[in-house]
Amino acid sequence: METTVLCRDAADFAARAGAWAPGRPFPLLACPALDRYRSLFPGGRLPEAERAGRPGVVVSVGDAAPAGRMLAAATGREHHEVEPEHLLKRLAGYAGELVAVVGLAEDLTAAGDWPGATGATVGVLATRDLPSLACLVYRSLTVGAVGEDRVFIASHPMLEDSESADTVEFAGLGVLRERRLKVVVVRSLGKECCVGLPDGIICGRSDPIDGPLPPFEPHYRHMPCMKGEGCHRADLTEDQRLPAADVHATVVFTHSCGSIGVGANLYPNHIALALGFMEGTAVAVVGAMGVHIVQRSAQAEFESALADGLPLGRVVERLADRVHPINGYLNRFGLLGDPGLVVPWPSGRAALRSTPGPRADEAVVRRLAELNNVILPRLERLPWLEPVVDAAEITGLRERVRDLSADLVAPGLAGEVTRLEDEIADFQVRTVRQVAASIYVSGWNYGGPSLDGLRQVAQHDETCPSCLRDTAVLVTLRHAVHDGLTVRTLQCRRCGDIWWSSESGEPSVVLHGPVDVDAVRGTVARPARQIRNGGGETLRGGIGFAFALRKRFGLPPETCSPVTVAPYSTATYTAETDLVTYRPRPDVHTSVFVAVLNGHYLASAMMLRLS
């Protein structure tokens, strides 16, 4: 008896799926994903879909109902159907439960957010088209039929622990085209559409880079390949681009920013990295969501959870529970795949790792106290956050305050304090210039030297000031050793980075402006940020702007300027961006405004959509 049956079209598939029961040939539609899976069975016969109970429920979205029904029938779960606009409300009723959401990617985008944002423990079985979705469900029901019990790790060489990876080079990925491994781990720099190594890239597109493209909505972040400009990695040839669909793996575990964005995607589904993996032979992708900070503990926790026989939904929960205390919101993982699926794991493979006299001028004393007790402590925290900051110069400024404080009635004290204030303001300007220059050449992570020591202490839902959706989260982090070092960041599930600040408590200093800004080659762009001073002290310091890691791509260099903002006032800084002399390729260029004002270190992210 045949184990599968190839359907003529979608109508035939829907009819056969509606009548399918375990033990009967599994209905499929011809597609490249099925061809890739067939290639793992040289004998030609495909395995029979297994019948085995799995916990939770199955919720199908829109046209995915036939595929969802078969998944539910094979695993003994309830099956519910819902339209995209009602999905999130429906899932809110399953808080803490395992819910397998089965749907086409565009229907999930129409739902408006990541399905797991509702509190349900979701796994999303999603692909770009119905034939691939049918094949994904089938692979999920034949998960143990083929593959090697091996964990393969590919890492960017700049990341910590890269020396323990199987490869740090693109050439080392060749095995993934040849054999299906149990778990493929990718730790690198990336975004929704790709993940990169120095000499190659894993790409979300399953088609040729110069192939015809479907129409895209204008609100998406458009990569150069979507404009006929080739890969954004202009240093690579087509042979150095590995489509994610060509990777053979049972489970893929990604540590790169935004590798799962289903439902809250800001790049088109056609180029989504995780969806590319789901058109290969993978049954699941466990991937980072939004801005991600790689933690060494995540890999061990992941393997331990698999070895403990947890279903994938609980595996991702364990990652949240055990990695969350390190960096919380910045270490969120999502699951594409069935949350009730237990991946077969070989045994023994648990995770490895005052006399009366002249009176002092109290106004001058207060100014000196402000420097000593407020501004300098803030500046002394800066070297913990930025390696380019001159800590020795800050120590010298502290010594100047101490020397001036030795005689508060000395003649000329007011003038000396004024000079010191000017020096501190100038130091902040020079610091911003150094930070911006470093961003332009080497890239940027806010708080670089202290990321490993930061621990989340609070998290609050907010409205994103960029897209105006209720999709933002305000995260507060405190350093485990330096208890005076607090970092706050606003992150949006849709827009990503919004702002970062070293100011504790409610922000009194804000850099305000749009995240996504359009510009055209051959013009001078003028991205800007408002500096909003909501406090009673005059702000002095510097503000700058830089494209992140973009010197070698021909973008204009960093800019910087001193700035003063009166109490409860606003100033505007405009970064004159010369796109006439400098003519970079059209792309979505990551950039950032940085400022050091009265010791506060601020950053505001911006994406320049250059056409």
Side-chain angles (χ1 to χ4, degrees):
M1 180 178 176
E2 291 297 322
T3 57
T4 63
V5 58
L6 202 60
C7 302
R8 297 186 305 274
D9 50 31
D12 186 28
F13 171 74
R16 292 179 181 271
W20 183 82
R24 301 181 62 178
F26 195 92
L28 293 168
L29 288 158
C31 62
L34 180 57
D35 294 337
R36 294 185 185 98
Y37 196 47
R38 283 187 185 277
S39 72
L40 300 176
F41 300 91
R45 180 179 172 84
L46 290 173
E48 182 178 354
E50 299 175 356
R51 178 170 188 172
R54 296 180 187 174
V57 299
V58 178
V59 175
S60 295
V61 184
D63 294 334
R69 182 202 167 276
M70 290 193 294
L71 179 65
T75 57
R77 288 176 287 188
E78 293 181 6
H79 179 230
H80 306 280
E81 301 178 24
V82 65
E83 291 304 310
E85 62 269 24
H86 302 306
L87 175 63
L88 299 181
K89 183 177 180 180
R90 182 65 174 267
L91 292 176
Y94 293 103
E97 293 189 45
L98 295 178
V99 183
V101 177
V102 183
L104 299 177
E106 290 301 321
D107 283 341
L108 295 167
T109 295
D113 203 348
W114 167 248
T118 61
T121 302
V122 304
V124 181
L125 290 89
T127 60
R128 298 167 178 138
D129 55 52
L130 186 60
S132 298
L133 184 61
C135 186
L136 171 58
V137 170
Y138 174 63
R139 295 197 306 273
S140 180
L141 297 173
T142 57
V143 64
V146 64
E148 298 180 20
D149 290 331
R150 178 182 172 188
V151 177
F152 181 93
I153 300 176
S155 175
H156 195 287
M158 70 177 288
L159 295 181
E160 193 172 18
D161 290 345
S162 63
E163 67 277 0
S164 66
D166 293 279
T167 186
V168 294
E169 299 177 342
F170 182 79
L173 300 178
V175 64
L176 304 183
R177 294 178 183 263
E178 301 164 0
R179 308 199 302 273
R180 192 195 199 198
L181 307 182
K182 180 61 64 70
V183 176
V184 171
V185 182
V186 183
R187 300 186 312 202
S188 190
L189 312 177
K191 45 191 168 185
E192 279 185 35
C193 67
C194 62
V195 61
L197 295 171
D199 58 341
I201 192 171
I202 303 178
C203 173
R205 288 186 60 167
S206 300
D207 58 334
I209 197 71
D210 57 356
L213 292 166
F216 298 116
E217 295 293 332
H219 64 266
Y220 283 125
R221 290 177 179 169
H222 289 189
M223 299 300 292
C225 69
M226 300 162 59
K227 300 174 178 288
E229 297 272 355
C231 181
H232 75 285
R233 285 285 300 273
D235 58 312
L236 304 177
T237 65
E238 179 65 2
D239 289 340
Q240 293 169 292
R241 182 183 73 94
L242 172 61
D246 288 350
V247 171
H248 284 312
T250 302
V251 177
V252 179
F253 185 28
T254 68
H255 302 256
S256 63
C257 293
S259 54
I260 288 186
V262 172
N265 52 299
L266 201 49
Y267 291 82
N269 289 312
H270 185 80
I271 65 173
L273 178 69
L275 293 175
F277 285 125
M278 298 304 265
E279 288 183 355
T281 59
V283 300
V285 178
V286 176
M289 303 183 69
V291 174
H292 180 70
I293 300 172
V294 176
Q295 295 295 332
R296 286 169 293 179
S297 63
Q299 177 66 28
E301 294 294 352
F302 178 70
E303 292 187 19
S304 175
L306 289 177
D308 288 346
L310 296 182
L312 287 174
R314 302 304 180 198
V315 170
V316 175
E317 278 189 336
R318 180 179 287 190
L319 286 175
D321 290 341
R322 299 193 181 180
V323 181
H324 187 279
I326 299 175
N327 272 314
Y329 190 83
L330 304 179
N331 256 295
R332 294 169 297 133
F333 289 96
L335 169 64
L336 295 191
D338 190 339
L341 171 63
V342 175
V343 176
W345 194 258
S347 60
R349 288 293 307 277
L352 315 112
R353 38 164 198 347
S354 173
T355 304
R359 295 180 64 89
D361 185 332
E362 292 303 320
V364 173
V365 171
R366 284 193 298 271
R367 289 162 55 196
L368 199 53
E370 177 81 2
L371 296 178
N372 185 72
N373 301 324
V374 179
I375 294 178
L376 279 173
R378 295 170 182 166
L379 289 176
E380 287 165 338
R381 294 191 285 268
L382 272 181
W384 289 70
L385 298 172
E386 279 294 345
V388 300
V389 176
D390 189 341
E393 186 169 352
I394 299 173
T395 299
L397 295 171
R398 169 70 75 185
E399 292 172 352
R400 290 280 305 282
V401 172
R402 186 167 62 245
D403 291 342
L404 292 176
S405 300
D407 188 355
L408 296 178
V409 294
L413 179 63
E416 291 294 329
V417 171
T418 296
R419 281 187 284 275
L420 180 55
E421 289 170 335
D422 292 343
E423 289 178 28
I424 291 175
D426 179 68
F427 170 78
Q428 294 179 107
V429 176
R430 288 185 283 112
T431 295
V432 167
R433 185 174 291 115
Q434 290 175 300
V435 171
S438 175
I439 292 171
Y440 179 55
V441 173
S442 305
W444 173 80
N445 274 316
Y446 187 100
S450 290
L451 288 176
D452 280 351
L454 291 174
R455 304 291 188 268
Q456 178 169 315
V457 295
Q459 174 178 322
H460 302 286
D461 293 338
E462 297 280 349
T463 298
C464 175
S466 179
C467 65
L468 303 181
R469 301 186 182 193
D470 294 330
T471 53
V473 174
L474 178 61
V475 181
T476 303
L477 306 110
R478 184 172 297 129
H479 201 277
V481 175
H482 189 335
D483 60 6
L485 181 58
T486 298
V487 170
R488 306 179 89 220
T489 179
L490 187 67
Q491 300 285 322
C492 175
R493 287 189 291 274
R494 185 173 186 271
C495 304
D497 254 334
I498 306 299
W499 57 254
W500 295 75
S501 173
S502 63
E503 184 178 9
S504 60
E506 288 299 315
S508 64
V509 188
V510 175
L511 300 184
H512 180 76
V515 173
D516 289 275
V517 174
D518 293 316
V520 180
R521 278 192 301 192
T523 66
V524 176
R526 294 178 173 83
R529 283 295 182 267
Q530 284 187 344
I531 308 163
R532 298 179 176 179
N533 183 4
E537 57 180 331
T538 297
L539 296 174
R540 296 184 66 189
I543 183 170
F545 171 82
F547 291 100
L549 199 63
R550 286 303 190 267
K551 180 178 181 178
R552 62 194 180 99
F553 294 122
L555 277 94
E558 73 279 359
T559 62
C560 179
S561 176
V563 65
T564 300
V565 188
Y568 308 109
S569 299
T570 297
T572 299
Y573 172 72
T574 301
E576 298 282 339
T577 304
D578 181 4
L579 300 174
V580 179
T581 305
Y582 297 84
R583 299 184 66 83
R585 296 169 66 248
D587 199 345
V588 179
H589 293 291
T590 303
S591 56
V592 61
F593 289 83
V594 289
V596 181
L597 302 166
N598 287 20
H600 294 306
Y601 178 30
L602 312 168
S604 175
M606 192 193 85
M607 305 297 288
L608 187 77
R609 304 189 300 197
L610 181 61
S611 59

